[in-house]
Amino acid sequence: MTGMKLKVRIKRQLSTRLTMRMRVITYSIIIFLFIGIVTTTFLLLDISTPEKGVAQQGVDNLSTGDVICRYTWEEKSVLKATEGPAGIKASKTAFISGGGKSSSNALNPGKPGQPVNLMLTGSPYFNVPGIDIAIDFRRSEGSGNFFTRGSGFNFGMAQGNIVVAYRIENGSGGFKSVNAVTNYTIPIDEIWRTYRFIYSPITGKGEIFVNSVIVWSNQSTPNTKLYWNDDSNIVIGKDMDGGGAIDRSIFDNLVVRSTGSVESGLQSLLAFSAFPHPDFKERMLVTWTMIPSINDNYFTVERSVNGLDFNKIGTIKVAPAANTAADYTFTDLRPVAYGITYYRIKHYSKDGQFVQYPATAVSTRSRLIEDISIENIAPLPFTSTFDLTYTTSGTGEVLMKLIDKNGTVCVTEKMNAAKGKNIHVFRNAGKLTSGIYTLNLTYNNKSVHKKVIKS
């Protein structure tokens, strides 16, 4: 019996040891697979510091503001901009070569490794309240700068680490400086990465991103603009020479945008419309109504054929400050010949703030017959009622609004219009106080307006 018990005990020990070995092998395989997955994920995400963590994204993935300038370096000229001002000079050795971020062309310092030093004239065009700078870059050298302007602004690299310096207004005519050397070290390798600095004047926050991942931020006082005290030239690639010994492109896809302005005290837009000129059918008329204030400066009128990319086509000075609404008109002498055209206005104050209002669309195909027009309003001034005569290009619903000088919609009525001339008797004036109002009619997504006075 003793021998049998011994055999059973030995078998149990062997079985236990075998089980333990199998567990060790299984756990080892699991750990090995886990390490492999984590390592592969880190490689795919291009994580070279703990602050990075997503796959590469293009420069435009965070796009918001209006483009100030853009360089893609697809053309033969180093100085040629895709949008905005062109460069005025650069290193004689810099040239365009292949090997860009998406197998495109890019900017190459050239041999024997002279700094790029692409210079742009530093006009007030760049004096924006907030700025967004993004550039694709791959590192070969120790230090250099992506975007520099005078002594007050710099976004670049010092001994491999991303650096930034900028100034913001301090509220008393001077400035406060922000200077930082971040903990992010740019790797020296063949990989293109997108480096981006954004300062928002609304939030007062400055941020740096690498491949759309934030690596640095600084919080200042909200509603604070950048401080630009001169018109110094801008230098792209200052002291960037590609390492001197490597003939390869280092810059691609530079985009500089504005990021809006601080909250503005500018007045609200009362009415805005665009339509074929009643006297010159080959022209377009843009009209709007607004109450002037002492801080107003001017309006710009912008035009687009796709509703996204707008170009300035004119500037209008504001009317003197008054308690009544002012009407503005702008004639587009060379409108788009055919199709849909979009118009919008920007309202600028004397301190550089601006409000950008939504665009309105007009079809050049409707020039021969206006969609809607106001023929007559009588009597003016009116007391309790008035007759409104208007014309439409077809049948349908017309929306009428009566807007006071503060921009409040006081009356809204819907009318069923027949093609041609229509007459509507307005009888809802008993609740209105005396003053100036804007009568706005909308039909077929087109609007017209006219000033009326209640006595």
Side-chain angles (χ1 to χ4, degrees):
M1 291 296 294
T2 302
M4 290 295 293
K5 290 181 179 179
L6 181 60
K7 290 181 179 180
V8 171
R9 185 180 299 174
I10 292 173
K11 287 183 178 180
R12 287 178 179 176
Q13 291 177 350
L14 291 174
S15 177
T16 301
R17 291 177 181 176
L18 181 61
T19 302
M20 290 299 293
R21 288 180 181 176
M22 292 300 295
R23 288 179 179 176
V24 170
I25 293 172
T26 302
Y27 291 154
S28 298
I29 293 173
I30 293 173
I31 292 172
F32 177 77
L33 291 174
F34 176 76
I35 293 173
I37 292 171
V38 172
T39 302
T40 303
T41 303
F42 271 49
L43 289 173
L44 289 174
L45 294 181
D46 183 31
I47 297 182
S48 55
T49 76
E51 295 175 292
K52 299 174 65 178
V54 298
Q56 289 194 18
Q57 298 185 27
V59 167
D60 291 327
N61 286 15
L62 295 175
S63 300
T64 52
D66 291 338
V67 174
I68 299 175
C69 72
R70 184 195 303 267
Y71 282 79
T72 58
W73 292 295
E74 289 300 319
E75 305 292 337
K76 294 181 179 180
S77 173
V78 171
L79 304 180
K80 186 173 182 180
T82 307
E83 291 183 65
I88 56 176
K89 67 177 182 178
S91 166
K92 294 181 179 180
T93 63
F95 69 103
I96 306 300
S97 67
K101 183 174 181 179
S102 301
S103 300
S104 59
N105 288 335
L107 180 58
N108 191 323
K111 294 182 178 181
Q114 296 294 318
V116 171
N117 289 350
L118 171 57
M119 184 176 293
L120 284 65
T121 300
S123 69
Y125 182 67
F126 288 92
N127 292 353
V128 290
I131 202 165
D132 175 353
I133 302 168
I135 191 167
D136 292 330
F137 171 70
R138 54 182 177 180
R139 179 188 169 200
S140 299
E141 57 269 88
S143 299
N145 301 298
F146 306 138
F147 187 98
T148 300
R149 188 182 187 193
S151 59
F153 189 94
N154 178 59
F155 176 40
M157 176 181 66
Q159 297 180 347
N161 286 54
I162 298 178
V163 297
V164 68
Y166 57 98
R167 295 171 177 174
I168 57 176
E169 295 182 348
N170 62 6
S172 58
F175 64 88
K176 172 186 175 182
S177 296
V178 178
N179 296 280
V181 178
T182 72
N183 293 324
Y184 185 93
T185 302
I186 299 177
I188 298 180
D189 53 30
E190 295 290 329
I191 298 175
W192 287 98
R193 297 176 181 86
T194 303
Y195 300 91
R196 186 170 193 173
F197 169 76
I198 301 176
Y199 177 78
S200 168
I202 297 175
T203 64
K205 192 172 187 178
E207 297 174 297
I208 295 176
F209 298 82
V210 178
N211 289 346
S212 303
V213 177
I214 188 169
V215 298
W216 175 88
S217 68
N218 177 76
Q219 182 64 63
S220 299
T221 305
N223 222 36
T224 302
K225 298 187 292 185
L226 288 173
Y227 179 89
W228 307 100
N229 65 332
D230 58 29
D231 296 331
S232 298
N233 289 334
I234 290 164
V235 182
I236 300 166
K238 183 180 180 181
D239 301 327
M240 289 279 194
D241 60 4
I246 302 175
D247 182 14
R248 69 171 187 175
S249 54
I250 63 170
F251 285 141
D252 203 356
N253 303 318
L254 169 71
V255 185
V256 181
R257 297 178 174 86
S258 63
T259 57
S261 186
V262 297
E263 294 180 2
S264 174
L266 296 173
Q267 299 294 325
S268 298
L269 188 68
L270 300 183
F272 176 58
S273 61
F275 48 87
H277 198 290
D279 300 321
F280 303 96
K281 296 301 183 182
E282 71 279 6
R283 301 175 182 178
M284 299 296 289
L285 195 63
V286 182
T287 67
W288 63 98
T289 301
M290 189 169 291
I291 302 173
S293 70
I294 59 174
N295 193 37
D296 291 343
N297 195 1
Y298 63 93
F299 301 95
T300 60
V301 183
E302 299 180 338
R303 182 180 65 197
S304 171
V305 295
N306 58 13
L308 298 174
D309 304 309
F310 285 82
N311 296 312
K312 186 176 75 172
I313 59 174
T315 301
I316 300 291
K317 292 289 292 183
V318 300
N323 294 324
T324 60
D327 293 327
Y328 297 89
T329 61
F330 174 82
T331 302
D332 186 359
L333 301 177
R334 297 179 178 84
V336 177
Y338 185 81
I340 303 296
T341 305
Y342 301 85
Y343 292 93
R344 74 181 184 192
I345 61 171
K346 285 184 179 179
H347 184 195
Y348 288 83
S349 64
K350 293 177 182 177
D351 58 5
Q353 301 179 37
F354 71 88
V355 174
Q356 177 179 291
Y357 294 102
T360 186
V362 59
S363 174
T364 54
R365 290 172 292 185
S366 64
R367 290 187 188 177
L368 296 178
I369 303 176
E370 295 182 32
D371 283 329
I372 186 169
S373 62
I374 298 174
E375 301 296 331
N376 189 45
I377 300 176
L380 283 180
F382 68 92
T383 54
S384 59
T385 182
F386 63 79
D387 294 340
L388 167 64
T389 304
Y390 64 96
T391 301
T392 58
S393 60
T395 59
E397 185 178 83
V398 174
L399 177 64
M400 184 188 79
K401 293 181 181 180
L402 209 59
I403 306 168
D404 67 15
K405 65 179 184 179
N406 297 318
T408 303
V409 179
C410 302
V411 178
T412 300
E413 292 186 6
K414 293 182 179 180
M415 306 171 290
N416 292 319
K419 181 178 180 180
K421 184 174 292 187
N422 294 267
I423 299 177
H424 174 73
V425 180
F426 176 73
R427 295 188 175 90
N428 194 17
K431 300 179 181 179
L432 300 176
T433 59
S434 298
I436 298 176
Y437 294 83
T438 298
L439 177 70
N440 186 279
L441 297 183
T442 302
Y443 168 75
N444 195 25
N445 295 322
K446 305 297 185 298
S447 296
V448 292
H449 68 274
K450 193 168 185 178
K451 188 185 301 180
V452 295
I453 302 174
K454 184 182 185 301
S455 59

